[in-house]
């Protein structure tokens, strides 16, 4: 996975567990793509301070994922549901019964994961 | 939701964020249904100590859910996927195309949630 996508996903899931201050700076850097220097100046902290905060946030978020694996689980579910959705779009152009059987198989796989 | 089901679900999701000691006692009480007195005796702590530990764990788990809402999200997804599964079992007995359209609708709802 691309680093930025991974960071965003981890933040989506576990961001609420960071402090308000960490969240604000993290969003500026990762989501809003503002430079370290600009953030440092704006918040009256050093460039190194911003760098350390981001590094620390990434570690906190990664530690939660290592323990809970919820991002991994959600990615699995999303992919399977997208497959189901893809299959439904083929309705009419392929045999509907075999299509339904494939959907059944995928939904079973998801339920085993939950 | 039944209290025991709710406790088990919260523990399934966030249990890894408790300490090893908390986990062991929590599992004894909530999953294995061992009495406070028995656990207290076994671990050389007071009955009140066991009671406090469980209360504290429940609060920790509930606080994570209040921030992350991941149990809520998973329950939503599971219900929808079960609906899809239920529909696939009707294949052949109802018009397959309308069945597929219903499945498509539900899968869209899930993807909006993710």
């Amino acid at each position: 996975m691309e680093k930025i996508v991974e960071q965003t996903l981890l933040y989506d899931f576990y961001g609420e567990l960071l402090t308000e201050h960490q969240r604000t700076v993290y969003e500026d850097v990762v989501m809003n793509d503002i430079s370290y220097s600009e953030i440092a100046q704006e918040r009256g902290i050093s460039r190194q301070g911003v760098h350390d905060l981001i590094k620390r946030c990434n570690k906190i978020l990664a530690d939660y994922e290592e323990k809970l694996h919820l991002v991994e689980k959600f990615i699995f579910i999303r992919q399977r549901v997208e497959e189901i959705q893809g299959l439904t779009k083929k309705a009419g152009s392929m045999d509907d019964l075999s299509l339904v059987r494939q959907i059944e198989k995928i939904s079973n796989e998801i339920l085993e994961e939950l």
Side-chain angles (χ1 to χ4, degrees), chain A residues 10-84:
Chain A
L10 288 173
Y11 184 78
D12 277 351
F13 273 76
Y14 306 118
E16 284 299 314
L17 301 174
L18 301 174
T19 66
E20 174 71 30
H21 175 63
Q22 286 172 328
R23 274 207 301 280
T24 318
V25 178
Y26 199 84
E27 285 184 11
D28 277 353
V29 171
V30 177
M31 280 74 169
N32 307 329
D33 204 24
I34 302 175
S35 74
Y36 282 14
S37 313
E38 209 172 327
I39 295 163
Q41 197 167 18
E42 210 173 90
R43 305 198 168 269
I45 48 180
S46 68
R47 218 183 153 285
Q48 182 66 37
V50 180
H51 177 268
D52 292 347
L53 184 145
I54 297 300
K55 203 173 154 186
R56 171 140 182 72
C57 287
N58 281 333
K59 178 159 172 22
I60 294 171
L61 298 174
D63 284 351
Y64 279 117
E65 178 59 11
E66 202 186 314
K67 285 187 176 159
L68 304 183
H69 306 285
L70 295 173
V71 173
E72 190 187 309
K73 206 170 251 205
F74 266 77
I75 291 173
F76 174 90
I77 295 169
R78 186 158 60 193
Q79 285 171 343
R80 294 303 166 288
V81 176
E82 280 169 356
E83 280 176 37
I84 290 177

